[in-house]
Amino acid sequence: MGNKSIIKKILLGLSAVGPGLFLIGYNIGTGSVTTMAKTGAEFGMGLFWAVVLSCIFTYILMVAYGKVTLVTGRTALFNFKQEFKWGWILSLYIILVLIIGELLALMGVMGIVADLVQEGVRLAYNGVVIHRAWIILFFAVILVFFLWFGRYKAFEKVLTVLVILMGLSFMVVFFMVRPDISDILSGMVPSIPDTPGALGLIAAITGTTCSAAVFVIRSTVVAEKGWGINDLKKEKTDAFVSAFMMLFLSGIIMAVAAGTLHISGMKLDDTVEMISLFEPLGGKLAAFVLIIGITGAGLSTIFPIVLIAPWLLADYRGTPRNIHSKSSRVLILGAMVFAFGTVFLEERPPALMVFSQAFQACILPAVAVPMFMLINKQKLMGSNKASVKLNIGLVAVILFSLLTTWFAITEFI
């Protein structure tokens, strides 16, 4: 009886953080793993402060977006369109740049998945090499099938297990590597290494953790959850769980990379070098665990990436999401074409992935500034206007977003 009661409490707890769990699955994917691993490989724990700040600011923006949605009952882009004079231009700009950013990420994710599966086949079948284009085609057909016939939730359960397996594997390696706690603490002190690529990685950390897409999508997910103004406390708890889990998992991945790749002098320029992350586990089994886990994480990330265009348009129109409509299916098929982009580009998938995450950082001011204005609008929010504490947090987010945007642009130039 006691066990049943504990299980019931756990399930109730998980149901209370629905949107948060969804967004963890979206955020902690191949992009996050690649960015954190590359940062750990090149700088050890030296840029951990950027992860901590990004997760704090993610929590603040999640709370703000959720609160406005709970009070108004409307999603983010629809609110921008309705409440600002030129709001429709702002909303369309956000839609456009988010779609461009996600399509860049799609090319990087599929490239990394294809490279790892190719290496897995080579290890399993004594040197047999399958071209990356065939591997991408195989996964693209499966993904389109599940989206076309509405079997996404069944597939998501399998992918969730794979992502959990990867997360647990990183935790096991973390305890095997046993990174120095003083290194982790020293990495929380802000400093910028005078090394090429450092600014780009700080922007990429911000883009993959404090992702503009997450906040816009969050408003839709919160609305679909059916929460109302009385669920403000629940919404804050949900945001905290989501942000904390992002910090926890990102920190572990960075620490594992610092304890394996960094001390070996590897910089993670090639996808297959990621297998060295699990070297402490040893043997082919370790390689297969990483390959399966990151492939699962990649595929689970691709779902929201290819769905972002129909989701954002539904948000803009203020209509329910319907992935089976004709327009949604056209947009999904159009997005999947970009999955093959990495076959034709000279850029290696890890570099493309980091670039796409840094590009996402450039979008952050466009979603932070309007939300600051919206949540302080007396006519819209009434007594639920932002508190002084939340306003201080939002101003800090805006300043940080402008700084990381400047980092990203400097790196691109």
Side-chain angles (χ1 to χ4, degrees):
M1 188 75 180
N3 287 342
K4 283 185 178 179
S5 177
I6 291 168
I7 291 167
K8 192 175 180 182
K9 283 179 181 177
I10 291 170
L11 291 172
L12 281 171
L14 289 174
S15 68
V17 290
L21 288 175
F22 172 86
L23 295 170
I24 291 166
Y26 173 63
N27 248 25
I28 303 296
T30 310
S32 192
V33 172
T34 307
T35 302
M36 299 307 162
K38 189 168 176 62
T39 305
E42 295 193 18
F43 301 105
M45 295 302 292
L47 295 179
F48 185 51
W49 61 269
V51 182
V52 175
L53 279 180
S54 294
C55 289
I56 291 170
F57 294 146
T58 295
Y59 168 72
I60 291 167
L61 273 179
M62 276 186 173
V63 168
Y65 267 82
K67 188 173 187 178
V68 170
T69 300
L70 293 181
V71 171
T72 64
R74 301 185 307 208
T75 51
L77 295 181
F78 191 72
N79 263 325
F80 292 166
K81 188 177 73 168
Q82 294 290 108
E83 297 298 327
F84 298 126
K85 187 177 180 181
W86 301 103
W88 65 275
I89 295 176
L90 171 66
S91 297
L92 290 176
Y93 167 76
I94 291 171
I95 290 171
L96 180 64
V97 291
L98 283 182
I99 289 172
I100 291 170
E102 294 300 316
L103 291 177
L104 286 170
L106 177 60
M107 289 190 276
V109 170
M110 270 300 202
I112 289 167
V113 167
D115 281 353
L116 286 173
V117 171
Q118 187 181 57
E119 181 64 10
V121 171
R122 191 188 67 77
L123 289 172
Y125 296 100
N126 299 316
V128 173
V129 177
I130 300 175
H131 196 278
R132 291 159 74 213
W134 291 113
I135 297 170
I136 293 172
L137 179 63
F138 172 75
F139 285 121
V141 169
I142 290 175
L143 289 164
V144 169
F145 173 82
F146 277 102
L147 288 167
W148 207 265
F149 295 102
R151 304 290 180 188
Y152 167 53
K153 288 195 174 179
F155 193 43
E156 189 183 51
K157 287 175 185 175
V158 177
L159 296 175
T160 302
V161 171
L162 295 177
V163 174
I164 290 169
L165 172 66
M166 182 191 68
L168 290 173
S169 302
F170 270 112
M171 288 175 70
V172 169
V173 178
F174 175 83
F175 287 113
M176 290 178 77
V177 172
R178 284 185 294 184
D180 196 326
I181 298 299
S182 61
D183 288 344
I184 296 174
L185 293 175
S186 66
M188 292 174 71
V189 179
S191 64
I192 300 173
D194 187 19
T195 311
L199 295 180
L201 279 173
I202 293 170
I205 288 168
T206 306
T208 192
T209 309
C210 201
S211 170
V214 163
F215 308 122
V216 176
I217 291 170
R218 178 176 175 80
S219 70
T220 306
V221 178
V222 166
E224 287 189 356
K225 186 78 176 173
W227 288 351
I229 192 64
N230 296 324
D231 296 303
L232 278 170
K233 191 176 178 183
K234 195 185 289 183
E235 191 265 334
K236 279 188 179 180
T237 304
D238 174 81
F240 177 80
V241 170
S242 183
F244 177 78
M245 286 304 294
M246 286 177 200
L247 174 63
F248 178 71
L249 292 171
S250 297
I252 280 181
I253 295 165
M254 189 181 285
V256 166
T260 52
L261 301 180
H262 186 61
I263 59 172
S264 304
M266 300 170 82
K267 290 195 172 182
L268 196 66
D269 293 322
D270 198 89
T271 310
V272 179
E273 288 177 1
M274 292 180 86
I275 292 172
S276 302
L277 287 166
F278 279 16
E279 202 170 293
L281 287 177
K284 283 186 178 181
L285 179 62
F288 288 132
V289 169
L290 180 85
I291 290 166
I292 292 168
I294 291 187
T295 299
L299 296 178
S300 66
T301 307
I302 288 168
F303 271 115
I305 287 176
V306 298
L307 289 172
I308 195 161
W311 281 355
L312 291 176
L313 288 173
D315 182 352
Y316 178 78
R317 294 170 184 151
T319 56
R321 295 188 297 189
N322 177 16
I323 64 169
H324 295 134
S325 69
K326 189 177 178 181
S327 60
S328 292
R329 285 177 165 172
V330 169
L331 289 168
I332 288 166
L333 286 174
M336 288 309 302
V337 172
F338 282 84
F340 295 88
T342 187
V343 176
F344 306 101
L345 294 175
E346 289 182 17
E347 197 75 71
R348 298 303 301 149
L352 182 61
M353 197 74 246
V354 170
F355 173 82
S356 73
Q357 302 308 316
F359 179 84
Q360 296 277 15
C362 298
I363 311 166
L364 192 54
V367 296
V369 174
M371 183 46 61
F372 174 73
M373 295 168 67
L374 212 58
I375 202 167
N376 283 290
K377 212 170 181 183
Q378 179 71 46
K379 190 178 176 184
L380 182 72
M381 299 298 292
S383 61
N384 291 295
K385 270 175 63 179
S387 62
V388 174
K389 195 192 295 183
L390 182 56
N391 273 328
I392 291 169
L394 286 169
V395 169
V397 174
I398 291 167
L399 294 174
F400 183 69
S401 72
L402 293 171
L403 181 66
T404 51
T405 298
W406 179 71
F407 285 171
I409 292 168
T410 304
E411 197 65 46
F412 294 159
I413 294 170

